[in-house]
Amino acid sequence: MTVHLLWIINQSGQLIAKSSFTAPENIGELGAKPDLQLTMSSILFSTYGMSQELTPNANPVDSAGMTLVECEEHNIHIYETPTLVKFVLVSDSRTRECNALFRELHSLYVEYVMKNPFHIVDEGGIGQPIRIAAFTGAVKRAVDRYHAAGVLTATRK
Amino acid sequence: MWFLKPTTRNKVEVVLLVINFCCCCCCCFFCCRQARTEPLFTAPPSHVNASCQKSRCILSKCHLDSLPSSLALLEGVGMTLYSIYIFNRYGDNIFYMQWNRTSAVQEGEASLVAGFIYTLQHLSSQLSSSGTSGLRAVQTPFYKLHYAETMTGYRVALLTCRNVSTALVQGIFIEMFRDVFHKTLTRDLNYRHEPGCMITNPDFAEGLEALFRSKQLLE
């Protein structure tokens, strides 16, 4: 129940926000080289489109991209809003789903980013990174509450 | 306007889409290899990529009411197999088989699957502290893609419904490579492990289906 990393990718495929919640060594090379996250987030955006193309046995109009990538040490959770903004969470491999946390992060995004009159969402197809200190603080508090809830659950088990 | 485009795509557009994805991935890997700092304000993807993805996503939201019924159908059927791809170390698609699939196989789909699993494997190896590739499964609301790789470079991608457990399929993959693959291909003197050699031994397909039947994935 540990969340290591949060990415927010806009509809053009640009990384507009990233937050780390644990030590950098928990996410391997992405922690050692933070600039690599820009490249890997674009790659994840492309693979999201690929996963839609590969859907067998479905109405071609109904296409949904990947929601969970299971790796040996991590799980990558992806949540797409109706406005095509993608929230990506990298967690440990024991975390099965993060839907409640995604909804909370989406609410924080609406409250702190969308309602900010000085934040430019997408100017001529080029997105602006989210540099709002209140949003960053709120995200960290939400993830800390999530970690605390996870600890309680683990203790109860 | 993107929403006026027809939902069915002709072959040229699909091929362009595939080429576009491949170019996008190659470009990203090139940047990664050069170890340059990529600027935060990158050019947006091409019109075809963006418009196709946007149209599909928004239309999917319009059909949000149909999602529960689709998922209920999938849940009711039980465990379903769609297709399997096997690639050798050179990236060639040496084996393909499909079972309960109703959508047509798109042109170049094997290459798309190969690029897809290679990209995610690369991403997962960069996340892991040991540096090894640890990709196991990719889950979407409609299907689940299971992945395994041998030390000799053979990769298998199995598309199933989303009910199938990852641990079950990983065990099946181990049995497949240890028993079926070994008996029908490694010991086959006529099969050469070289670029472009397809698996034409019918015993492999029969052994694979027998293995899936023993695990109740096929009836």
Side-chain angles (χ1 to χ4, degrees):
Chain A
M1 299 291 290
T2 308
V3 173
H4 301 303
L5 185 65
L6 163 71
W7 285 342
I8 303 181
I9 302 170
N10 72 353
Q11 64 268 30
S12 303
Q14 287 136 37
L15 183 66
I16 58 175
K18 63 185 171 80
S19 295
S20 295
F21 309 109
T22 55
E25 56 261 21
N26 286 317
I27 49 174
E29 277 187 40
L30 292 193
K33 305 169 188 171
D35 288 337
L36 200 61
Q37 296 186 26
L38 292 165
T39 305
M40 300 315 293
S41 60
S42 299
I43 290 173
L44 192 68
F45 178 82
S46 299
T47 51
Y48 190 87
M50 286 185 198
S51 64
Q52 290 169 328
E53 290 295 317
L54 295 173
T55 307
N57 283 31
N59 191 333
V61 175
D62 286 334
S63 73
M66 56 198 187
T67 55
L68 174 64
V69 180
E70 297 181 46
C71 307
E72 192 171 334
E73 297 180 24
H74 304 90
N75 280 354
I76 302 172
H77 307 257
I78 300 161
Y79 169 85
E80 189 186 48
T81 69
T83 52
L84 307 185
V85 177
K86 292 172 185 57
F87 292 76
V88 179
L89 284 171
V90 178
S91 69
D92 60 342
S93 57
R94 290 183 302 276
T95 307
R96 305 309 303 172
E97 53 96 25
C98 301
N99 293 328
L101 180 58
F102 273 135
R103 277 191 287 269
E104 192 172 359
L105 293 174
H106 191 187
S107 301
L108 296 179
Y109 176 81
V110 172
E111 280 295 314
Y112 288 94
V113 181
M114 287 286 107
K115 294 187 178 180
N116 186 345
F118 302 107
H119 175 72
I120 301 167
V121 174
D122 198 303
E123 187 173 25
I126 299 182
Q128 295 278 332
I130 298 173
R131 296 200 180 100
I132 299 165
F135 175 68
T136 307
V139 164
K140 291 211 182 280
R141 284 194 298 274
V143 173
D144 287 344
R145 280 199 304 272
Y146 179 78
H147 286 158
V151 170
L152 280 180
T153 308
T155 307
R156 200 176 301 124
K157 288 171 186 172
Chain B
M1 304 292 287
W2 53 263
F3 53 84
L4 293 178
K5 287 184 178 179
T7 54
T8 55
R9 233 186 253 123
N10 52 48
K11 289 187 175 181
V12 178
E13 197 172 349
V14 171
V15 171
L16 284 176
L17 201 61
V18 171
I19 294 169
N20 195 45
F21 279 132
C22 295
C23 293
C24 187
C25 292
C26 294
C27 183
C28 292
F29 286 136
F30 179 77
C31 293
C32 180
R33 222 174 275 117
Q34 294 292 321
R36 293 181 303 192
T37 302
E38 187 164 327
L40 192 58
F41 307 101
T42 56
S46 70
H47 175 69
V48 172
N49 187 3
S51 68
C52 289
Q53 176 154 351
K54 282 174 181 173
S55 68
R56 293 173 75 96
C57 291
I58 292 185
L59 287 172
S60 167
K61 297 303 180 290
C62 294
H63 287 253
L64 203 60
D65 295 331
S66 70
L67 280 178
S69 61
S70 302
L71 295 176
L73 273 178
L74 288 174
E75 301 285 329
V77 163
M79 299 203 285
T80 310
L81 285 184
Y82 293 130
S83 52
I84 185 169
Y85 301 81
I86 300 181
F87 306 94
N88 61 7
R89 67 194 305 155
Y90 312 102
D92 304 320
N93 180 33
I94 59 178
F95 185 76
Y96 173 76
M97 187 181 271
Q98 66 182 29
W99 293 277
N100 299 296
R101 181 173 183 161
T102 54
S103 68
V105 180
Q106 300 181 60
E107 197 164 329
E109 188 169 286
S111 303
L112 192 63
V113 173
F116 181 65
I117 59 179
Y118 176 78
T119 308
L120 284 178
Q121 173 210 331
H122 183 69
L123 177 58
S124 73
S125 69
Q126 286 189 308
L127 276 169
S128 77
S129 47
S130 56
T132 59
S133 164
L135 177 67
R136 286 187 176 152
V138 179
Q139 189 166 291
T140 77
F142 292 119
Y143 70 95
K144 190 171 180 178
L145 186 144
H146 303 261
Y147 171 81
E149 181 186 8
T150 67
M151 293 181 74
T152 48
Y154 285 95
R155 304 168 185 204
V156 58
L158 180 72
L159 274 80
T160 66
C161 68
R162 58 196 316 254
N163 303 344
V164 185
S165 154
T166 304
L168 170 69
V169 177
Q170 294 291 315
I172 290 174
F173 283 155
I174 291 173
E175 285 191 49
M176 183 191 91
F177 280 118
R178 189 177 58 205
D179 295 331
V180 183
F181 194 94
H182 180 62
K183 283 170 183 167
T184 61
L185 290 178
T186 310
R187 294 166 169 264
D188 185 3
L189 298 181
N190 296 314
Y191 184 74
R192 293 169 295 138
H193 300 264
E194 288 173 7
C197 293
M198 308 282 292
I199 295 175
T200 52
N201 192 345
D203 294 336
F204 178 76
E206 290 162 16
L208 195 62
E209 287 205 339
L211 175 62
F212 286 142
R213 265 186 235 108
S214 69
K215 302 293 179 180
Q216 280 89 48
L217 289 183
L218 282 176
E219 67 280 340

